[in-house]
Amino acid sequence: GKIDAGLSLAAEDNAQTFNADGSYVNLNFDDWVIGAGAVDRNWSYSPNTSLILSSNARSMPTGYIRKTLGQSTSPLLSSIGPWGGEFFLGEDNSTNFMGARLELQPLAGLKLELLQTAQFTGGLGSVGTALIGNTNEGSGAEISKMAGFGLSYARNNNRLYMQAIGEDEAGGLPSCWMYLVGLENKLDVGGTRTSVNLELVDTRINRTANGWCGPNFAYNNQYHRYTNDGVVMGAPIDSEGRSITLGVSHNFGSYNLEWGLGHYTINDQAS
């Protein structure tokens, strides 16, 4: 294995304290990484954000194991095609934070992701419950879990991507959904390589008949606020929001010119 590391120090509170956000140490084995550090993650096929884990909030110190998307050398796993993923465990203000992501590439141009995060105050025994157990009753009731899926399909110079994340669990499956969908197009404009991205993010959750879901439900739950250092760890529009953005990037070789337009609805009470 090969070891690589990075150190980043930033002053806070008029240089009275420092943080090490961005610092890490990794042990690399081919396409596997075992590491620890405060690293940014954007778990999504969107180039901009993620509903479940983005770089919106400051990075949390975690220990992790990660595999880059690629064909496995294991005879048992090579049959499923290219795959990758990550599992991490960290802590924020005495609340444990766990995340798991599995990526698959069943066809050329098609990528799939299954995602899950959980917040809990129990010990290591709660990790198994958070991954596969019932988090609606018993000792697992204080576990706050989010889960969902995403996909990306690229053909020629176009790419369609989406993500759907459930804020709650019902019957062992995600419920109370929020959505992200986007379209990318790469083209040539007057000899300039150009990328156009149109994206919709919607964290408004409709009220259900039993009352378990409703307005302001996204990133809020009975036990744990889905934030790090007071900033939401998912989409920047936070709960009960919607955004429609258009981003354009022109590549001139030695530099890029980027511009965009956006329409944002924050704290929408209409739903």
Side-chain angles (χ1 to χ4, degrees):
K2 182 179 68 174
I3 296 177
D4 69 275
L7 177 63
S8 175
L9 291 176
E12 294 182 344
D13 303 326
N14 297 320
Q16 297 298 310
T17 59
F18 292 85
N19 72 61
D21 294 358
S23 300
Y24 67 91
V25 57
N26 288 337
L27 180 60
N28 302 274
F29 301 93
D30 296 325
D31 56 354
W32 286 89
V33 175
I34 300 174
V39 296
D40 272 339
R41 295 177 175 88
N42 187 70
W43 280 6
S44 170
Y45 293 122
S46 163
N48 306 309
T49 191
S50 166
L51 291 171
I52 193 168
L53 192 60
S54 73
S55 58
N56 186 52
R58 62 183 299 181
S59 49
M60 182 187 304
T62 58
Y64 49 88
I65 181 170
R66 180 171 63 236
K67 181 188 180 298
T68 56
L69 182 64
Q71 191 76 33
S72 175
T73 57
S74 166
L76 179 64
L77 297 175
S78 61
S79 60
I80 68 174
W83 69 282
E86 183 178 14
F87 174 84
F88 71 80
L89 188 62
E91 184 183 67
D92 173 45
N93 295 328
S94 73
T95 299
N96 299 310
F97 187 57
M98 182 203 74
R101 184 190 193 200
L102 173 65
E103 282 192 277
L104 302 171
Q105 188 172 346
L107 300 170
L110 176 63
K111 297 179 181 178
L112 305 173
E113 61 176 354
L114 300 174
L115 313 108
Q116 177 179 304
T117 61
Q119 297 165 285
F120 54 94
T121 56
L124 290 178
S126 297
V127 174
T129 304
L131 276 172
I132 58 175
N134 189 337
T135 59
N136 283 329
E137 60 183 32
S139 60
E142 67 91 18
I143 300 174
S144 298
K145 186 159 67 174
M146 295 174 59
F149 64 94
L151 65 83
S152 170
Y153 180 66
R155 183 177 176 85
N156 299 326
N157 293 321
N158 299 297
R159 186 172 74 94
L160 174 68
Y161 61 89
M162 62 83 65
Q163 188 176 70
I165 298 296
E167 171 62 55
D168 197 16
E169 180 184 16
L173 295 173
S175 64
C176 308
W177 295 91
M178 47 187 167
Y179 303 94
L180 177 157
V181 62
L183 179 65
E184 278 188 328
N185 177 256
K186 297 185 184 298
L187 65 160
D188 188 284
V189 178
T192 301
R193 288 176 295 172
T194 300
S195 176
V196 180
N197 174 249
L198 180 65
E199 183 173 283
L200 167 69
V201 180
D202 197 335
T203 63
R204 301 173 301 171
I205 297 176
N206 292 329
R207 187 175 303 280
T208 54
N210 58 19
W212 292 114
C213 302
N216 293 310
F217 197 79
Y219 307 127
N220 292 293
N221 54 73
Q222 184 177 356
Y223 296 100
H224 310 290
R225 177 82 169 114
Y226 199 73
T227 61
N228 183 27
D229 201 29
V231 179
V232 68
M233 294 184 287
I237 58 173
D238 208 320
S239 184
E240 204 64 20
R242 182 182 66 177
S243 66
I244 303 174
T245 57
L246 173 68
V248 182
S249 175
H250 306 281
N251 185 287
F252 293 96
S254 58
Y255 67 94
N256 286 342
L257 174 63
E258 298 181 356
W259 60 275
L261 300 170
H263 180 271
Y264 303 89
T265 302
I266 307 297
N267 295 326
D268 182 17
Q269 298 298 317
S271 60

